[in-house]
Amino acid sequence: LPGGMWDRFMMDYMLGYRSKPIWAVSAGDYHEEGQAGEYLGNFPMDVWSDGEDSEAVMAALHAGHNTSWFMTKEKNLKMAALFLEDQSGKRLLPGDQQVVERQVKLHASVLERAPEGEGSASGIQSLKGDWIVDGRVVANIVLPIDSTVLVTPLELMPGPHVVRLRIPGQQGVRMEANPFLLRVKK
């Protein structure tokens, strides 16, 4: 939840109180196949890696370049775009740590992965999301399930910040994105 343990832990990391960040790898609490109607397939991830081999995927996961979902297989959604861009043109993926300018733009887009030749199976037209900065919701957005990239401008104060996107549970879908770890120039 915004302002919860994960946000506090990540801010402690940014302030130098913790040696490593902790990345989201699931948007649920999976224990056993079939228990309480849960299946491992209900917890897909979007991973931004430099390749499809196991080493590239593991490096991307280690860097936090992923989002974690909860959804049943008929939903089959993905983050088509999720990045932060500052005034100088730097683009960051979730998990990236960078010094940035005060003004940033947050980019997000959700698509449905439909089998070739088939239309939407989920019936979902849009999802509500929250941009969270340092544990506080700073913007509510509505992400259409199409190729639209929603751009949210944000001005940050100088210093360390943890910025992340969250799609809280709705229509049988939840998503947690690993945060952008920023140090804003004075």
Side-chain angles (χ1 to χ4, degrees), residues 91-140:
R91 282 192 176 190
L92 308 176
L93 290 173
D96 281 344
Q97 301 180 54
Q98 188 67 249
V99 175
V100 297
E101 303 289 335
R102 288 180 63 145
Q103 301 219 352
V104 298
K105 291 180 181 175
L106 307 165
H107 300 251
S109 174
V110 177
L111 283 176
E112 183 168 14
R113 293 177 209 163
E116 243 180 84
E118 293 186 27
S120 171
S122 72
I124 298 175
Q125 301 300 312
S126 64
L127 291 169
K128 295 177 184 173
D130 299 322
W131 280 109
I132 301 165
V133 176
D134 303 338
R136 290 184 299 281
V137 176
V138 297
N140 302 110

Side-chain angles (χ1 to χ4, degrees), residues 153-173:
L154 180 65
E155 183 163 348
L156 297 166
M157 299 303 295
H161 296 285
V162 176
V163 178
R164 66 186 178 94
L165 177 64
R166 175 177 193 253
I167 297 173
Q170 60 199 280
Q171 302 179 68
V173 173

